[in-house]
Amino acid sequence: MRRTIKREADLLITDEKEPVKRRLRERGAAERPVELDNFLNLLARAMLHPSASTMASFVAGKVFQKLERTGTLRDKQPQDTGIPSGLEAALQNAIAARDIYAEVAQSVRRLAGSLVWIRGRSGPFASLNFEKAHAHSVIVGPGGLEDRADIRVGLTYMEPYSRFPDHVQRFSRAFLLLSPCELSIAGASWISTGIGGVFAAEAGQSFAMRCTTTPLLAVWCHVEETGR
């Protein structure tokens, strides 16, 4: 039997004080802005590529299926987005890699100024000063450019020589790496992967990631359990 993971235990969910089911429900009437639509199309191409793991494609596929319907589009520019100072360097590294991942990074660059970036909590085995060395942003989902309750598409940035806290995932989540990264899933040994790595961590699994000389930038997505 799968154990229930509390929302606050999943450190990629930064709004646990206001559960998704209490958020504004999507109306689905507006058309997506070109830049957002372009980003989502590029992300689908990258995450559903034949080289991606079966689990990652399965998780991402459910997200993109729901994206066939548009949520509520945010029409106001935030005053202070809190954009990380090192984000541009991370994007430049991905752009230099060329291929579809460079296109995804360029699309993120065009959206970055409209995103709200939030620092999450620290936790077990996190690097020193982790609270100041990372940021998350929701592109599609609660509080995102497209506000909706059923899915999340987000970004996580970490400065060089940072380690994300070990934690247990509440949702099965797919990731696209726009930087080199080291991963440990379900307590397994650390593995290294480069720009373009696509992987998934299943609900209930422990998860850890870290970076060394270059900043970490990852796009991730999952389906929310709105019925609970």
Side-chain angles (χ1 to χ4, degrees):
M1 180 181 294
R2 178 183 142 190
R3 64 193 180 105
T4 300
I5 306 301
K6 293 183 178 180
R7 294 183 65 83
E8 58 267 25
D10 191 326
L11 297 182
L12 283 171
I13 301 176
T14 55
D15 61 350
E16 67 275 5
K17 292 182 179 179
E18 186 175 357
V20 167
K21 61 185 178 183
R22 297 178 187 171
R23 290 276 189 166
L24 177 67
R25 300 294 176 172
E26 55 273 13
R27 292 188 289 271
E31 183 176 350
R32 284 192 185 103
V34 172
E35 289 298 347
L36 178 57
D37 191 57
N38 183 57
F39 165 76
L40 294 172
N41 286 330
L42 290 168
L43 186 62
R45 284 174 53 196
M47 298 190 84
L48 301 179
H49 192 273
S51 62
S53 72
T54 301
M55 183 63 185
S57 293
F58 176 74
V59 173
K62 292 196 292 183
V63 171
F64 294 121
Q65 182 179 36
K66 290 180 178 295
L67 280 166
E68 293 179 1
R69 181 169 57 88
T70 306
T72 301
L73 300 172
R74 194 176 69 206
D75 57 1
K76 292 184 179 180
Q77 183 80 6
Q79 293 293 319
D80 182 10
T81 65
I83 187 169
S85 60
L87 179 65
E88 179 59 25
L91 291 171
Q92 288 179 0
N93 290 338
I95 291 169
R98 303 177 183 274
D99 211 343
I100 181 66
Y101 316 113
E103 295 183 66
V104 174
Q106 289 169 337
S107 186
V108 170
R109 175 190 272 168
R110 289 189 285 268
L111 294 173
S114 300
L115 300 175
V116 176
W117 293 83
I118 299 172
R119 269 72 178 175
R121 305 189 315 278
S122 186
F125 305 109
S127 52
L128 293 175
N129 300 318
F130 178 76
E131 294 92 337
K132 298 180 180 179
H134 81 288
H136 310 291
S137 184
V138 175
I139 299 176
V140 176
L145 296 178
E146 183 175 322
D147 194 341
R148 54 194 295 161
D150 55 344
I151 59 173
R152 289 183 198 238
V153 178
L155 288 167
T156 293
Y157 164 84
M158 288 168 32
E159 292 181 0
Y161 299 105
S162 295
R163 174 172 171 166
F164 199 85
D166 292 23
H167 70 287
V168 177
Q169 300 221 124
R170 177 180 172 88
F171 303 105
S172 292
R173 186 175 287 127
F175 294 78
L176 167 65
L177 291 171
L178 296 179
S179 68
C181 178
E182 294 181 358
L183 306 164
S184 175
I185 300 174
S189 299
W190 290 94
I191 59 172
S192 298
T193 185
I195 294 173
V198 178
F199 67 94
E202 296 184 45
Q205 287 185 326
S206 61
F207 175 74
M209 62 182 176
R210 64 190 183 189
C211 57
T212 55
T213 58
T214 56
L216 182 146
L217 185 62
V219 186
W220 47 268
C221 62
H222 69 248
V223 175
E224 290 274 354
E225 297 172 344
T226 55
R228 294 187 178 183

